Structure formats: C-alpha cells, structure tokens
Amino acid sequence: MSESKFNILRAARVVCVPMLAGTLVVASFAGTGLAPFAQWQPGVASAATAAVTYKLVKSDEAIVTSGVKQINYSWVPSDAKKSTELVHVLQIDLTNPYVQMNALSGKNGSVTTGQSVGAMTKATGAVAGVNGDVFNTGTSSEGAPLGAELLSGQLLVAPTKLEGMYAFALTKDKTPIIDQFAFSGSVTAADGTKFALSGLNNSSYTTYPDKTASHLNALYMYTNAWTAANRPANSGTTPTEALVVNGVVTEVSDGVQIQTPIPANGYILRGHKGKDSGNFILNSLPVGTAVTSAYNLVSQTSGKTYSESDFQMIVSGHTLLMDGGKASAFSRSVSGVDGSSNRARTAVAYSKDGKTAYLVTVEEYSSHDGVTLSVFQNILTSLGVWKAVNLDGGGSTTMITRPLGETATVLAHPTYFGTTQRAVANGIGVFTIAPAGETKGITVSGAKTLFIGQQATYSVKAYDTYYNPIDAAGLTPAWSVSGGLGSFAGGVLTASKAGKGELTVKSGAASDKASIEVIGGSQINQLKANPNTTVLQQGAKITVKLTATLADGRTLEVPADSVKWEFKGFTAAASGGVITIGAVGEQTKTGYAIARYDGFSTAFALSAGAEKSFETFENAAYPVTFDKLPAETTGTAAIVTGLPGRETSKALQLTYDFTVGTGNRFAYALPNGSTGLAISGSPSALTLDVYGDGSNNWLRAEFKGADGKLALVDIAKMANWTGWKQIRVDLSGSGITYPATLTRLYVVNLAEGQDERALTGAVAFDNLSLQYPSVVDDGAQSNIVLQLGQKSATVDGKSVALDIAPLLLNGTTYLPLRFVSDALGADIGWDQAAQKATVTGGGKLLELWVGKPDLLNTGVRATAAATPILRSGRVLVPVRVVSTELGRKVGWDQKTKTITIR
C-alpha cells in the first residue's frame, strides 16, 4: 500500500469487510465470484498492465521421500520492472504405496489450540506439510477451523452451513476429491425420540443463506478434541448439556456447562436451554439411559452420502480455484481473504487422472509480494492441475519439507514473518510408511550461496532406496569444488572466487554433487551499510550490517569477514561486523568508513558530535496525550516507570486496544500534546530504544516540518520482538523540512491481513537520539566557472590554473577530475591498475572507471551517460556525471561556452 494512501487514513475512517483467516466471516456470496482473469495476465487494469505477460519457470527440484518431490518455480514477468514471484510445489504420487496424506491438527490433537506447521510435522512425523483451513484468531474466539477436518478416518470438525466452502478430501483408497460437504446427523434416545445433530466441534457462526445463529435451538456434539473453555464462545445461547460415555448418559446440566472432562470414549451433547434442543436433553436423555449418535457427510454437488470411515482425511479450504483444468469462478467472496491484494497463498490440488496431488504455496517476503487469487489461478493453470481449492494465506502460508538425507523438517521458504511460523488451526501433512531400505546414496548438507572469504561447514547425509534418511556414521567423505571457487579443509569450504560451480562429495563408491554459487561484485546492484551510529569518537564501537541487493532481485546479508574496510580521517579496526575507532585526525571534520567487496564499494560518513540525545523522558515536564482512529479504539499514552528492563527509569508507554471497530486502526502517543517536541538542526537519523510486544503491528513516527507538512516515517514494519531493542530510523529521504517537531509515535493495525497482528498490546519508547549528517568540507559549496578551451577557472571568484582545458567531445563536456574534486572539497584517489578514480566528499563515495559506463555512488550501481577518458596522462570526467552525482547543479551558457557548477 502506498505512502500517500496511508496519509489520508488519519483524517478519514476507512471501513473494510472483515477478513477470514483470523476474522470469522459468516456471510457467503455463492454465485457472485469474480470471473478469473485471462491466463498470463496479472489483473485487469490499464492497457500497459494487461500487456505484461508471465511465464512459470522451473528453478529446481528435490526428492523429499519416495513418491514426493519439492519443485520450485519462478513466476517471471516480461517486464523486468515487475516483481518475480516464487512458487513452491509439493508433488505427491498418490499411487506410491509408501506415501500417505493426512490432516495435521492443533497442539495435542486439539481443534481449538493451534500450532505452527513445523510443530505439527514434528509431532506427527510428517516429512512435509502446508497450512490448512481459514480460522478465527480473535481474542474472543477459539481459533477452530472454519470448515471440516477429518483425520485418519475420524471427523474432528463438522462442515459449516456456509455456501461456497470447498474442502480437500482423500478417500481410504487415496482418491482425491474437492467438493462441498454438508453435515447430516441425529441423536436417538432410548425411548426412540430423535433430534437432529447440527454439527461437531464447531464455533458459533451465522449460517448462510438463512442467516441464523448457528447454535440457536440446535444440538451440537463436542469431543475431547475441543479444549477451549467455552462450548462455544459467543453463541448467544445458554447451554443445556449431557455427557455421554460409552453410549450412556452419565451427567446432565441445565443452564451451565458440564465441568467433567470429556473422556476419549465420550462426548458432550450441547443444546439450547429452554428451546427444543435443550428440552430434548432434559426430557429424553436422563442419566443412565442409552443414547445413539450418528452422522454422515453429504456432497452438495452430487448428493452422495459418505461415512467418516470412507475418508482418510479432509481439510476444508475457502473458495474453489480450479475446476476441469480451468480457472473457476470464485465460489465465495474473496474480499475476506485479501483476494484482490498481493499476498502469500496456499492451495491444494490434484491432477485430471487423480494420481497426483499438489500442495502449492506462493511466498510473500522481502522483495516478493505474493499474488492475487486471480493470478494464483493463472499459476495453477500453468502447473496443469485439474481441480484446486484455496487454503489460508498471508501470514498463515507455510510449507515444511524434509531435505534429502536429513532427519528434521525445515521451512521450504520464508513465511510472511521470515523464519517465524504462525500458529494455525490445522494443515495437510505428507507421510512415508516405507520400510527401512538399503543404502542408496549420499547428499551434501550445507550452504549453497556464499560470498568471497566466507567459510561454510558441510556434512554428508545418507539415504536409503526409499529416499529416507539413514545413519551416515562411519562415512569418510572427500570434498572438492569445481571452478576454483574455494578450498576445503576438514569439511569447511573457504570461498575465494566468484562464480558458479559444483560441490562434490565422495565416500567409497557413493557420491553427490550440489550446485554452489559464490556471489561476485558484478552481480551486485546495491551494497548498503547500516551502522547503528555515525558518531566519530575515539574508542566508539559501531556495529555495521551490510546488505547486498543483486541484479536478479535477491537480497543477501554480506558476512563481515567477506568485506575489507578502509578508513579516511581516522584509524579503526574492523572485526566481526564491529568497527572500533582508534585515533581521529586533528583536522578531521568528516570521516569515511569504506567497505569493499570484490570491486564493489559503499561507504558511510562519520563526524564528531554526530549524535545528540534528544529525549530520555527522565525530566519531561510536558503532557503526553492519547489519540486514536477509529473512534472505537481505546488505549493510553503516558510516561511511566517500572517497565521490564527499565525498572528504575522512565519511558513513554503506548497501550492500545483495537478489538472494537473496523478498517485500519491507529493508536497515537502525542508527546507534548499538539505542540510536539522541537528538533534542532537537520538530523539524518533517529535512534531509539523500543519495547516490542510481539504483536507484528506497524510502528511509525510523525514529524511536522517547517512548511507545515507532515512526514510519516517507519520505525518498524513489524513489531515481531519482545523486550527492548535499539532501532535506527533513516530520516534522510523522509522529505522533512527543518526546523521540525516530532508530533506522534504510534501503532498501526491495517485492515489487510489484520488477523496476522495482535489487536491489543503495549509498546514503549526510550532514549531517543538524533544523528546529524557529517560536516561538509569547506570547499563543498564553492561556485565554479569554467570555459571550453581555457586553462583557467574561477572558484568563488578566484582564478585557478588548470592542467588541461575543458574539452567538448561528442557532445559531452569533460573536465580534469582532480580539479573538479578539489574545487568541490572532495578527496580523489586513483587506482592505476584498475583505471579507477575514487571521489570522497559531501558524505558520498563516487567511483568511476576509464572507458566503462558503470559508476558507483555510495553503494548504488548506475550507468553514466558518458565514460571517463584519459588525455595527456590526466583523467577527464563528464562534468554532469561528477557534479550531479555529488549533489551539485550544472549550468551551460551556449553563447560564451561557459560551464557553471553551483
């Protein structure tokens, strides 16, 4: 969502449709599904957008176990400016006798206590799995699946009475089915009286299309898989209950829930007090009498009736995505699952012959945005699936696999939260029941992408004829790597050269090869240094994180040991990503820390007094007020003591409660009310300590500039930590006009994906400091005037001699580099071997090569309109390239052939 869109949210209340996968949407809109977009098109928009085509490109594949493959794809646009999305597929051969699929349930088999897919696979021994049904994550609900769940032939949750809800089922003979199922059941008392059974282990909801409360005058069954405190919460009814054990009523309660734990061989029948269902329990199910309960599942498309024992598993989804090999109309409204937004996605599908099942995810992390449901249909079409149903997406999307030869399962790709997995209601697991086999092969275990100088440890794993892991003890592996990419010592590879090659391991007659890549400087488009401070002071320790963005869109953290540092204006030592400043030159106003990696460089400037304390809240004598949007939001803002880790000091605490209201939600802390806190000077960064609440909410700051305009700045896109953490906020590109004031610190909970963030919580802020740009060298603001063909120039009105006159060549004006850098107050360096010039000044590092169009400006690769040249042993550079890259303006007077640099 764009920044401009967020700007209007402060002044307007935005009302959005409640969302699934965390907010129980009870309305169904069968028959109003959106028509699928044409294959290969990302959406119906402008002609320019429609012209972009996409291609599904296979990246790699790996065997998980006999009959199961993990295949990774890229969804590649014809327009390089568009994002390439990553698609991951678990392909399951249903004809393989050793492969099984089953539902994955919540913690300890509970349908109301979710857990991560990783925890589910570990607990059940699954070799792979994905997340399953949409569910309600609200604090007042149980988090049970919205639809049906059946595990190993036993129904755990009944289908709900909602139209358009499709489920994936696998019969006992491993035939896949995607269909709408209804629940049909009854309870028969000893006297022959019968009453309809409306569901099993269901949360309360509103049925559709009759739009009635689910538990109104209804009889429900609850087993020990339901571990929530209420049966259920928010039903709007008072219970009358009977506990049945081994087919005999052992306890009856009228008006309150039975407190006796439900045994494995029992269940509770829950009716509505004072209504027919409650009266049935009181009149027909006295303690000590026998009772019979029976139920079936009924296809809503064919009318076929199934018993629970007909199935191996069922996991419900949401809308139908594919039918007959083509994108289908959505069977439900997709607004509740962010259908028109780019999000992570999960689906389950099968082939036309029913012999292959597919578990498919699209990731949403870093530079990958995910896809709309319509684009997801295009991807599934490209995969060639026959029928598919959408599962929960966004923050719930998770795929777990077991790498070949490994005993433990791992994340197949990042979740929306990175490595953190969200607790979900259920999932679909893949299992192997193969017997122990003979040794088949070995495989490499270790990193596949490295940087020059990085060390990586590798080990060898073994697998049997069914591709399941076996003990590799006793193997004596011999390692090698092709292409001269590095050298091995004791299973440790030290990368020494950029390129792609093969890592080979041999042990006896067995061997394995793995593709390996060592990143080179030519692959990097941007190298960004993120120091925690830019203060130039002897003894200061600066922690620096380096991030490389590659030309193919990947973003990788560069290991500290792969980088070589240079320092200008001071001495320092760099080790393990920490720079310790030694002596600072007496005349140094601005120092530079320059990081170099394989011909690529970046830098950051430091200066004395670059960091000043802004606010510690210890002696604050001003008021702190709370504000909110929408009006239903509640919370507090105050300077408090006693916070964990700040027990004896003060901090600004902001609490919030977004449980009432709709749409985007905001909680603001206003230090010094509407006046704000005045900021001196023009800082380039704000550092502050933030107490995170693990809510995954968005933290922001608001500044009011001298021009009256507001600037909204991100503190953290996701508060996914708990406890105190120091954060550095870059202000350089925020557009703030100084002098300015800090007006708000606040929490944002967006409507989109709202289920992925907590609705209540508390954060705190402390030790705010401002970092200021490094002092600009004295000559940096000089006014320079030159004329073509003249070996003299004026700098601030003073005449300066030139070694060589400005030159006009092929429409480009060239100037002697040393003169330009000196006149601009910059330092120049020359690498004769590389024919490279380095200009340092104005807080920037500029590097140019003679005869090459590429240039680097403070870690960003760019293409110059013209390249530097050599004349009479002097480096001449295009005047506009150097001056504009260093932030200056260039003027040209055609009549007098005069160049002006300001």
Side-chain angles (χ1 to χ4, degrees):
M1 188 176 289
S2 67
E3 178 70 19
S4 60
K5 187 168 183 178
F6 289 124
N7 288 343
I8 64 172
L9 296 178
R10 289 190 57 244
R13 175 177 174 180
V14 181
V15 178
C16 298
V17 177
M19 308 168 72
L20 278 175
T23 302
L24 185 59
V25 175
V26 296
S28 175
F29 301 92
T32 62
L34 303 177
F37 296 148
Q39 186 180 2
W40 308 117
Q41 294 184 4
V44 178
S46 65
T49 300
V52 178
T53 60
Y54 283 77
K55 185 177 182 180
L56 193 67
V57 180
K58 181 178 175 180
S59 304
D60 56 74
E61 70 174 58
I63 296 174
V64 179
T65 187
S66 176
V68 182
K69 289 182 180 180
Q70 179 191 342
I71 311 174
N72 299 313
Y73 297 89
S74 294
W75 183 244
V76 183
S78 58
D79 183 351
K81 296 179 181 179
K82 301 291 183 180
S83 174
T84 293
E85 304 305 330
L86 301 182
V87 182
H88 309 274
V89 179
L90 288 170
Q91 182 176 299
I92 302 126
D93 179 5
L94 296 175
T95 67
N96 188 298
Y98 304 116
V99 172
Q100 289 187 341
M101 296 178 69
N102 213 335
L104 300 174
S105 200
K107 194 172 183 179
N108 298 321
S110 171
V111 299
T112 56
T113 305
Q115 60 179 338
S116 69
V117 180
M120 291 178 183
T121 57
K122 182 178 180 180
T124 59
V127 297
V130 298
N131 60 289
D133 199 355
V134 291
F135 60 100
N136 186 344
T137 61
T139 56
S140 60
S141 110
E142 301 87 6
L146 183 62
E149 179 183 338
L150 186 148
L151 190 156
S152 299
Q154 181 180 356
L155 189 65
L156 297 182
V157 181
T160 47
K161 296 177 181 178
L162 295 172
E163 289 186 346
M165 292 285 291
Y166 278 75
F168 173 80
L170 199 64
T171 64
K172 285 294 185 180
D173 63 358
K174 296 170 72 172
T175 299
I177 298 171
I178 291 177
D179 201 352
Q180 297 181 80
F181 295 101
F183 180 83
S184 176
S186 63
V187 177
T188 304
D191 62 5
T193 306
K194 285 190 176 184
F195 200 93
L197 194 59
S198 294
L200 167 68
N201 290 334
N202 294 116
S203 294
S204 60
Y205 65 100
T206 302
T207 64
Y208 197 89
D210 50 340
K211 297 181 181 179
T212 61
S214 58
H215 285 62
L216 180 66
N217 194 23
L219 189 65
Y220 277 79
M221 177 185 291
Y222 289 89
T223 69
N224 63 352
W226 184 275
T227 58
N230 296 303
R231 289 187 293 269
N234 305 314
S235 70
T237 64
T238 302
T240 296
E241 295 186 334
L243 174 61
V244 180
V245 179
N246 286 328
V248 177
V249 178
T250 62
E251 186 176 351
V252 173
S253 177
D254 187 27
V256 294
Q257 288 189 162
I258 291 174
Q259 299 303 309
T260 303
I262 305 172
N265 59 344
Y267 55 85
I268 279 180
L269 293 172
R270 196 263 194 204
H272 184 177
K273 177 180 171 62
K275 301 292 185 179
D276 293 342
S277 58
N279 292 334
F280 169 73
I281 291 175
L282 293 179
N283 298 331
S284 301
L285 302 180
V287 172
T289 60
V291 58
T292 302
S293 298
Y295 49 80
N296 294 298
L297 299 175
V298 181
S299 167
Q300 295 189 63
T301 56
S302 68
K304 183 176 179 179
T305 298
Y306 299 90
S307 69
E308 61 182 350
S309 61
D310 289 332
F311 295 104
Q312 169 68 17
M313 65 151 292
I314 296 177
V315 168
S316 184
H318 183 255
T319 183
L320 188 66
L321 292 175
M322 300 288 294
D323 195 9
K326 299 179 181 179
S328 67
F330 298 139
S331 57
R332 288 181 60 80
S333 167
V334 298
S335 61
V337 289
D338 297 334
S340 59
S341 300
N342 290 325
R343 296 306 315 271
R345 301 293 175 188
T346 310
V348 56
Y350 59 83
S351 60
K352 182 177 181 179
D353 60 11
K355 295 180 179 180
T356 305
Y358 304 88
L359 300 176
V360 186
T361 61
V362 179
E363 71 175 83
E364 176 188 4
Y365 183 70
S366 187
S367 61
H368 305 291
D369 300 326
V371 296
T372 66
L373 279 183
S374 293
V375 174
F376 198 22
Q377 290 176 311
N378 293 338
I379 291 171
L380 293 169
T381 301
S382 301
L383 286 172
V385 306
W386 184 250
K387 201 166 187 177
V389 61
N390 186 52
L391 301 175
D392 197 5
S396 295
T397 291
T398 309
M399 178 180 282
I400 297 291
T401 60
R402 188 187 67 185
L404 185 62
E406 301 284 353
T407 57
T409 55
V410 297
L411 269 173
H413 61 82
T415 67
Y416 172 69
F417 312 106
T419 57
T420 300
Q421 298 180 46
R422 180 187 185 192
V424 295
N426 58 19
I428 298 176
V430 184
F431 300 81
T432 178
I433 58 171
E438 298 296 322
T439 301
K440 181 176 180 64
I442 59 176
T443 184
V444 175
S445 178
K448 302 300 188 293
T449 304
L450 296 87
F451 285 83
I452 298 172
Q454 183 177 356
Q455 291 189 327
T457 301
Y458 293 85
S459 60
V460 62
K461 305 292 182 179
Y463 55 91
D464 67 11
T465 47
Y466 302 107
Y467 298 94
N468 291 323
I470 56 176
D471 189 1
L475 296 179
T476 54
W479 300 92
S480 63
V481 63
S482 68
L485 298 183
S487 58
F488 269 100
V492 177
L493 172 65
T494 301
S496 58
K497 176 185 173 183
K500 293 183 178 180
E502 284 189 329
L503 193 67
T504 302
V505 60
K506 294 182 178 180
S507 181
S511 66
D512 184 43
K513 292 184 178 181
S515 297
I516 187 172
E517 179 183 20
V518 180
I519 302 299
S522 61
Q523 296 173 257
I524 300 175
N525 274 356
Q526 181 176 7
L527 184 63
K528 186 175 183 180
N530 296 289
N532 67 329
T533 181
T534 56
V535 63
L536 183 59
Q537 182 178 340
Q538 184 174 357
K541 294 184 181 296
I542 302 174
T543 301
V544 185
K545 179 181 177 182
L546 285 165
T547 304
T549 301
L550 307 188
D552 61 12
R554 285 179 292 170
T555 299
L556 304 172
E557 186 171 341
V558 183
D561 294 339
S562 296
V563 178
K564 294 182 180 179
W565 288 93
E566 297 175 13
F567 306 102
K568 287 184 176 291
F570 63 97
T571 63
S575 178
V578 177
I579 295 173
T580 303
I581 297 178
V584 179
E586 291 184 5
Q587 303 301 317
T588 299
K589 294 181 179 180
T590 305
Y592 291 86
I594 302 172
R596 299 193 183 279
Y597 175 77
D598 193 34
F600 204 97
S601 60
T602 191
F604 64 93
L606 307 92
S607 63
E611 185 168 0
K612 297 179 181 178
S613 177
F614 177 49
E615 182 57 84
T616 64
F617 302 109
E618 296 302 321
N619 301 302
Y622 50 77
V624 175
T625 55
F626 175 79
D627 198 3
K628 76 288 180 80
L629 277 175
E632 295 89 346
T633 296
T634 60
T636 62
I639 297 174
V640 301
T641 57
L643 293 176
R646 297 286 194 276
E647 288 83 359
T648 60
S649 61
K650 296 180 180 179
L652 174 57
Q653 184 184 52
L654 174 62
T655 70
Y656 56 90
D657 187 337
F658 297 132
T659 53
V660 180
T662 58
N664 299 288
R665 307 170 196 191
F666 305 80
Y668 304 97
L670 284 67
N672 202 18
S674 59
T675 303
L677 302 179
I679 295 173
S680 61
S682 302
S684 57
L686 167 71
T687 61
L688 69 167
D689 295 341
V690 181
Y691 189 86
D693 57 0
S695 63
N696 292 322
N697 282 312
W698 190 7
L699 304 182
R700 311 196 84 196
E702 178 190 88
F703 296 84
K704 185 175 183 180
D707 55 2
K709 296 181 179 179
L710 299 178
L712 309 180
V713 177
D714 295 339
I715 297 174
K717 281 285 191 179
M718 192 180 296
N720 56 2
W721 73 94
T722 56
W724 290 101
K725 175 181 178 180
Q726 187 183 67
I727 297 176
R728 184 177 187 269
V729 181
D730 186 5
L731 302 178
S732 58
S734 61
I736 301 173
T737 303
Y738 294 101
T741 56
L742 171 63
T743 52
R744 299 171 185 243
L745 298 166
Y746 63 103
V747 175
V748 184
N749 185 293
L750 296 177
E752 182 177 299
Q754 203 160 69
D755 62 293
E756 294 153 14
R757 296 175 293 274
L759 295 177
T760 61
V763 297
F765 309 93
D766 199 7
N767 295 335
L768 280 65
S769 295
L770 294 171
Q771 295 181 7
Y772 293 83
S774 302
V775 178
V776 178
D777 300 277
D778 291 340
Q781 298 302 318
S782 302
N783 291 322
I784 307 165
V785 180
L786 311 97
Q787 280 187 300
L788 287 180
Q790 299 295 318
K791 281 192 172 184
S792 65
T794 61
V795 179
D796 288 338
K798 296 180 180 179
S799 180
V800 178
L802 304 178
D803 290 341
I804 186 170
L807 171 68
L808 181 63
L809 184 63
N810 297 325
T812 299
T813 304
Y814 290 87
L815 303 178
L817 175 60
R818 183 165 297 280
F819 165 76
V820 174
S821 61
D822 289 345
L824 294 178
D827 291 331
I828 183 173
W830 172 249
D831 185 331
Q832 179 65 30
Q835 297 284 283
K836 179 183 70 173
T838 301
V839 182
T840 310
K844 296 183 177 182
L845 173 73
L846 184 65
E847 295 196 323
L848 311 96
W849 288 261
V850 172
K852 293 183 179 180
D854 274 2
L855 63 83
L856 298 178
N857 189 342
T858 321
V860 178
R861 188 188 299 276
T863 300
T867 66
I869 60 174
L870 281 176
R871 285 290 188 275
S872 303
R874 300 289 188 270
V875 179
L876 301 184
V877 293
V879 61
R880 290 188 183 275
V881 170
V882 175
S883 55
T884 55
E885 292 292 339
L886 292 177
R888 306 302 298 273
K889 294 182 179 180
V890 179
W892 168 252
D893 189 322
Q894 176 65 29
K895 183 177 181 180
T896 62
K897 310 298 185 186
T898 300
I899 307 151
T900 305
I901 303 175
R902 295 184 176 86

